[in-house]
Amino acid sequence: MDEADRSVPGDRTGRAAPSDEPVGELVQRASQQLTELVRAEMRLAQAEMKEKGRRYGRGGGLFGGAGLAGFFTLQALIATVIAALAVPLPVWAAALIVTAVLGVVSLVLALTGKKEVTRAAPPAPEQTIDSVKADVAEIKESAKR
């Protein structure tokens, strides 16, 4: 029987059917495929973490710019509110009222921000983790056969 007769149907590589190959070759090929799989998963994890890092960086920069612009806007608004309240009240009373309101707003924003950060997904390569788990399950299943 020549090599073409032993090839797997649909296999254009001309390799022998797995049952005809020596165990050593099968183990070597499985080891090589496992190594390639691990390397591919590592590349996937690296790419996923780079993308997440870029997004966190961009988002952080945008939040920083928005925070600075908001800070200047808030200063102007505070001066306007104090000046408006200073018409019927003494200036110190107007400034105290505005300070108390700003303190409450700061507290609400801080608590809301803490809740959002807590709810945020951890910066882990979730797709890669799921893929690796599926690969391990597949390897375990095929090892049972």
Side-chain angles (χ1 to χ4, degrees):
M1 184 185 279
D2 64 349
E3 185 69 29
D5 294 335
R6 291 189 321 193
S7 65
V8 177
D11 184 14
R12 295 183 182 158
T13 61
R15 287 190 207 155
S19 60
D20 294 346
E21 292 184 44
V23 174
E25 285 184 33
L26 291 173
V27 170
Q28 182 182 9
R29 189 171 343 131
S31 174
Q32 182 182 9
Q33 288 174 348
L34 184 60
T35 301
E36 290 172 9
L37 177 65
V38 168
R39 286 184 180 149
E41 295 295 349
M42 292 300 292
R43 285 191 300 271
L44 176 62
Q46 183 181 18
E48 190 176 345
M49 291 304 291
K50 275 185 182 179
E51 181 61 28
K52 284 189 176 200
R54 274 196 290 272
R55 287 187 179 169
Y56 275 118
R58 258 184 276 160
L62 291 171
F63 274 125
L68 185 61
F71 179 70
F72 292 141
T73 303
L74 187 60
Q75 285 181 345
L77 179 63
I78 290 169
T80 303
V81 171
I82 290 172
L85 287 176
V87 173
L89 298 172
V91 174
W92 68 267
L96 182 63
I97 291 169
V98 170
T99 301
V101 169
L102 288 175
V104 170
V105 169
S106 296
L107 179 65
V108 169
L109 289 174
L111 292 175
T112 304
K114 182 181 181 218
K115 184 172 75 172
E116 286 299 314
V117 167
T118 303
R119 285 179 40 197
E126 295 166 359
Q127 293 174 349
T128 303
I129 291 169
D130 292 342
S131 177
V132 168
K133 286 180 181 178
D135 293 341
V136 168
E138 181 69 28
I139 290 170
K140 283 182 181 179
E141 185 178 317
S142 65
K144 289 179 184 178
R145 293 186 226 160

